[in-house]
Amino acid sequence: MKSSLVCLANLVGLTTAFTPLNQVHHTHHHHQQHSANNGAFIKRSSTTNLEMAVNGGTVKAAAIATTTAVVAGTAVVKLFFDRPSRTYSNATENENTVAEEYDAWTDDGILEYYWGEHIHLGYYSKEEMQRGYKKKGFIQAKYDFIDEMMKFGGIQQNSDKPLKGLDVGCGFGGTTRYLAKNLGSQSHMTGITLSPKQVERGTELAKEQGVAERTEFRVMDALNMEFEDNSFDIVWACESGEHMPDKKKYIDEMMRVLKPGGTYVMACWSQRDDSQVPFSKKDKRDLRYLYEEWTHPHFISVDQFKNLIDNTGVMNEVTTANWVDETIASWRHSIWVGVYDPLGWVFKPKTYVKTFRDAYCLERMHRAFKRGLMEYGMWTATKKALPVEEKEEQKVEQKSGVGF
């Protein structure tokens, strides 16, 4: 009813306002003409006021309608993005959503375009954060992260020893190749991943960079590694534990293949310890989204991972840290590089929905780390030396050709 009246009044106002004065009938009497003119003026003034009032109301109504549409549209979009689309599944031997997702990321090329060879967060010093994180190269931050992680684990560059290293969850193999180049000319690195596409790409890049002879990439389940016990001097795990459904087996396997005296170093997104302050409904809802959008079975806390390492009984004292301050800029930095340089995705319309979902998840990750729901866990320890009796047994086995 109200809208009909507004439309009607607007129509009347517009029609009358534009009626020419020369259409007013004149008489031979000046008084009648004067009265007629006054009447026309009063009529026109009244109509103009009505027009202004109605038009003002129309503009206001249009503004309200537009705002309502924008809010409603935003709510619908948010509802769509808040529903996780890539829930973890490992139902059968031939079905694993982690492998499928990383194969897809490798094929579309977007992740490699923006993140380079390293599918992990970057490292930003206090000084760099004060200057503004966007002034630092996004990919350089990832190389800095590797250097800092090596320092954290006490791993020396350019060693004279023939070191063997294992990169658990190697992605495209960026860190695998970087460590092979920096550990020393006699070093050798093996990278394992569930993604055949990543193994293919990692091998290609190793040949291009001249480290094919000192690197190897294999499709392998980190929970059931095919390596012998005590095979590696260094076991390196950067942001792979998030995807592991059995965290205990993940830790046990890495400790098993590490040589006595060898170094273990790990970085992993972790949820805060809820033993003292239980998770709220919002916490649980946010965690569920973070689990299910990027195919994570679940996260655990920094202390829970430490306990799993301690419980193996084969490791020396474990050092832990929370690098949330050093890494949190990565989330939004990742979004900004896509904004500043859209060429990596703009000509791939089939990936638009996935790209925007990833950007939305990056922001959700940033907020979760910012408010302390998530932490960036770091762990390092060395493996205890074997008892003398076991050392002698191993020497005999090696001489007889038994063992590794």
Side-chain angles (χ1 to χ4, degrees):
M1 179 65 177
K2 183 178 179 181
S3 60
S4 299
L5 289 173
V6 170
C7 291
L8 178 61
N10 193 37
L11 178 61
V12 171
L14 287 172
T15 304
T16 311
F18 288 99
T19 301
L21 288 177
N22 60 10
Q23 291 183 13
V24 179
H25 294 287
H26 297 276
T27 65
H28 296 289
H29 301 287
H30 177 73
H31 177 73
Q32 290 177 335
Q33 183 180 20
H34 181 71
S35 298
N37 287 340
N38 282 343
F41 175 76
I42 293 169
K43 184 178 180 181
R44 186 175 60 175
S45 297
S46 299
T47 304
T48 302
N49 290 337
L50 177 62
E51 175 196 354
M52 291 175 64
V54 172
N55 285 345
T58 303
V59 171
K60 184 177 181 180
I64 293 173
T66 301
T67 302
T68 302
V70 170
V71 171
T74 302
V76 171
V77 171
K78 186 176 186 304
L79 183 63
F80 173 75
F81 285 131
D82 277 339
R83 292 181 178 176
S85 62
R86 289 165 277 188
T87 303
Y88 175 83
S89 175
N90 190 19
T92 66
E93 183 177 348
N94 296 321
E95 177 192 3
N96 188 293
T97 52
V98 176
E100 291 170 1
E101 284 304 313
Y102 280 107
D103 275 349
W105 273 319
T106 304
D107 279 339
D108 66 39
I110 295 175
L111 192 61
E112 185 175 354
Y113 183 89
Y114 290 111
W115 288 54
E117 299 180 42
H118 305 278
I119 313 175
H120 58 76
L121 301 190
Y123 187 96
Y124 302 78
S125 66
K126 290 181 179 179
E127 294 75 18
E128 288 168 337
M129 290 296 289
Q130 289 171 354
R131 288 196 298 267
Y133 67 84
K134 284 183 283 186
K135 293 182 180 179
K136 180 171 185 172
F138 182 61
I139 292 178
Q140 181 58 49
K142 298 174 182 298
Y143 284 101
D144 291 349
F145 182 95
I146 302 171
D147 290 336
E148 294 297 328
M149 188 167 170
M150 290 179 72
K151 292 176 186 176
F152 179 76
I155 299 172
Q156 301 296 319
Q157 295 192 18
N158 300 315
S159 174
D160 295 331
K161 299 178 181 179
L163 299 174
K164 288 180 62 180
L166 174 66
D167 186 1
V168 181
C170 63
F172 303 132
T175 299
T176 310
R177 291 184 295 275
Y178 186 81
L179 291 175
K181 297 171 187 176
N182 286 275
L183 287 175
S185 59
Q186 299 183 69
S187 65
H188 185 278
M189 287 294 301
T190 300
I192 64 170
T193 172
L194 289 172
S195 167
K197 296 287 186 178
Q198 287 186 331
V199 166
E200 181 182 342
R201 182 61 178 148
T203 302
E204 288 175 354
L205 291 171
K207 292 177 181 177
E208 290 177 11
Q209 297 172 17
V211 290
E213 294 183 358
R214 292 195 286 120
T215 57
E216 179 186 15
F217 298 95
R218 298 175 63 176
V219 176
M220 190 181 298
D221 184 356
L223 303 184
N224 294 284
M225 288 194 247
E226 301 165 15
F227 306 115
E228 298 289 338
D229 296 356
N230 309 321
S231 294
F232 299 97
D233 300 287
I234 298 169
V235 171
W236 179 287
C238 184
E239 299 183 13
S240 57
E242 299 88 337
H243 293 296
M244 302 298 167
D246 189 335
K247 312 297 188 191
K248 181 181 182 302
K249 197 168 184 181
Y250 172 62
I251 293 297
D252 288 347
E253 277 292 275
M254 290 189 288
M255 302 306 100
R256 178 183 69 79
V257 300
L258 181 65
K259 289 181 180 180
T263 299
Y264 168 73
V265 61
M266 179 174 78
C268 186
W269 310 344
S270 307
Q271 63 192 39
R272 71 167 174 81
D273 185 355
D274 67 328
S275 61
Q276 299 298 320
V277 180
F279 292 130
S280 65
K281 289 183 179 180
K282 174 178 170 51
D283 291 337
K284 291 178 180 179
R285 185 169 62 250
D286 289 347
L287 284 172
R288 182 179 177 183
Y289 170 83
L290 300 181
Y291 295 162
E292 297 182 0
E293 179 57 22
W294 279 346
T295 190
H296 301 118
H298 65 284
F299 304 136
I300 63 175
S301 71
V302 174
D303 282 345
Q304 286 174 316
F305 260 128
K306 180 181 182 301
N307 291 337
L308 289 175
I309 297 170
D310 287 336
N311 291 340
T312 63
V314 299
M315 303 299 288
N316 292 310
E317 184 177 357
V318 181
T319 300
T320 66
N322 178 11
W323 278 11
V324 66
D325 291 337
E326 293 84 353
T327 58
I328 194 168
S330 298
W331 302 110
R332 285 184 173 171
H333 203 171
S334 181
I335 297 172
W336 279 114
V337 294
V339 172
Y340 293 147
D341 177 14
L343 293 180
W345 59 271
V346 74
F347 296 116
K348 300 177 180 180
K350 291 183 179 180
T351 68
Y352 280 2
V353 173
K354 182 179 178 182
T355 298
F356 286 118
R357 290 197 75 103
D358 286 339
Y360 184 76
C361 189
L362 287 166
E363 177 60 21
R364 289 284 298 267
M365 280 289 187
H366 169 86
R367 296 185 183 192
F369 278 85
K370 186 72 174 178
R371 70 184 179 90
L373 178 61
M374 293 290 292
E375 299 177 344
Y376 196 94
M378 300 292 298
W379 302 259
T380 188
T382 56
K383 192 170 184 178
K384 295 177 181 177
L386 287 174
V388 176
E389 297 80 7
E390 290 188 35
K391 287 183 179 180
E392 293 301 322
E393 289 179 6
Q394 283 196 359
K395 287 181 180 179
V396 172
E397 290 177 350
Q398 289 172 356
K399 287 181 179 179
S400 61
V402 180
F404 64 91

